Amino acid sequence: MRTQPDLRKQARQLENELDLKLVSFSKLCTSYSSSRDGRRGDSSDTTPLLSNSTQDRMFETMSVEIEQLLAKLTGVNDKMAEYTSTPGVTSLNAALMHTLQRHRDILQDYTHEFHKTKSNFMAIREREDLLGSVRKDIETYKSGSGVNNRRTELFLKEHEHLRNSDRLIDDTISIAMATKENMTSQRGLLKSIQSRVNTLANRFPAINNLIQRINLRKRRDSLILGGVIGICTILLLLYAFH
């Protein structure tokens, strides 16, 4: 059975090893987070020295090593606790219990720090894996739907052009119908007036000559107006199908 000094020496050696391992373990977790942030920013200045797969393997290896050291330190502390109960050391029991409690506190601190760092690392890795999966899905969707989006955009533009053309044709037809109704109404009115004027012309020959001149001018104006309306209609239709 080892003596108390030997156990204290072994405990201090394990504590020193644990302290160095935990410092390296914490740096590994910090560099893992930084490498992920640098990769999201896509900056050459923040390119990680180690790939994430390498860091993952180092994390697993260091976790096992630290757990083994914690288990060894726990065993040494248990042996020191057994030594304090050995007959013949009761006079030194208070000092030994104080030393044992100090080593137990150190073990508890190291254990707490290890689990905290490990939990943070796992949370970062899970979060980044989830974000990476989402970014991959977005990129896949963009690359796969880019052509379809372009086709859809062209289709919508063509559809809007056709709608505008249909609207312009409807407006042109409405104007033509309104013009036709107006001309029909005017023709009826003119026929009524002409009928009355013819009645007067039969009674007064001088008025008959005047009416003939008016009729000739009216025919000419009608031909001109009809030509203008036809040309305008053709131009509107050509613009609509342009």
Side-chain angles (χ1 to χ4, degrees):
M1 182 175 180
R2 291 190 177 184
T3 62
Q4 180 69 6
D6 292 336
L7 293 174
R8 289 202 304 269
K9 181 179 179 180
Q10 186 180 3
R12 286 195 297 269
Q13 289 176 348
L14 291 172
E15 289 168 356
N16 290 335
E17 291 183 33
L18 275 169
D19 186 65
L20 294 175
K21 287 287 185 181
L22 288 172
V23 170
S24 299
F25 190 65
S26 178
K27 289 181 178 180
L28 174 65
C29 296
T30 302
S31 64
Y32 185 89
S33 176
S34 299
S35 68
R36 290 286 183 140
D37 293 338
R39 185 162 298 181
R40 286 201 301 270
D42 195 22
S43 173
S44 59
D45 294 337
T46 56
T47 302
L49 297 177
L50 297 175
S51 63
N52 288 327
S53 60
T54 302
Q55 289 178 315
D56 288 337
R57 289 194 297 270
M58 291 179 63
F59 170 79
E60 298 297 337
T61 301
M62 293 184 68
S63 295
V64 173
E65 291 176 353
I66 293 174
E67 288 174 349
Q68 291 175 349
L69 289 174
L70 290 173
K72 290 180 180 179
L73 184 57
T74 301
V76 172
N77 287 346
D78 292 340
K79 290 179 181 180
M80 284 193 291
E82 293 177 0
Y83 182 81
T84 58
S85 302
T86 302
V89 295
T90 54
S91 59
L92 302 174
N93 192 43
L96 293 176
M97 290 299 297
H98 175 75
T99 302
L100 175 61
Q101 186 60 42
R102 183 172 61 84
H103 286 295
R104 283 177 173 175
D105 292 340
I106 293 174
L107 173 61
Q108 184 178 4
D109 291 340
Y110 284 163
T111 303
H112 175 74
E113 181 179 353
F114 168 69
H115 288 300
K116 180 180 179 181
T117 304
K118 184 177 180 180
S119 298
N120 290 337
F121 181 91
M122 297 296 293
I124 292 172
R125 185 167 62 181
E126 291 176 1
R127 182 192 65 188
E128 295 300 332
D129 288 344
L130 177 60
L131 291 176
S133 176
V134 172
R135 285 194 296 269
K136 183 178 179 181
D137 292 341
I138 292 174
E139 292 299 327
T140 302
Y141 173 79
K142 286 182 178 180
S143 61
S145 61
V147 176
N148 294 330
N149 288 339
R150 179 59 179 169
R151 291 177 179 175
T152 302
E153 183 180 356
L154 293 175
F155 173 77
L156 291 176
K157 288 183 178 180
E158 184 65 22
H159 180 66
E160 184 65 21
H161 179 70
L162 291 175
R163 288 184 58 189
N164 292 334
S165 299
D166 291 340
R167 192 180 301 112
L168 184 58
I169 292 173
D170 291 339
D171 293 341
T172 303
I173 294 175
S174 298
I175 294 173
M177 293 296 294
T179 303
K180 179 182 177 182
E181 292 177 358
N182 189 23
M183 293 183 65
T184 301
S185 177
Q186 289 182 4
R187 184 173 61 182
L189 180 60
L190 289 175
K191 284 183 178 180
S192 176
I193 295 174
Q194 186 176 8
S195 177
R196 295 179 183 180
V197 172
N198 287 336
T199 301
L200 293 174
N202 291 331
R203 295 181 182 179
F204 304 98
I207 295 177
N208 189 24
N209 293 332
L210 178 62
I211 290 173
Q212 290 179 357
R213 294 178 183 176
I214 293 174
N215 287 335
L216 290 174
R217 180 172 295 179
K218 184 180 68 174
R219 292 193 194 96
R220 185 186 65 185
D221 293 342
S222 297
L223 291 174
I224 293 173
L225 180 60
V228 171
I229 293 174
I231 292 173
C232 291
T233 303
I234 292 173
L235 291 176
L236 288 173
L237 291 174
L238 289 176
Y239 176 78
F241 290 101
H242 187 267

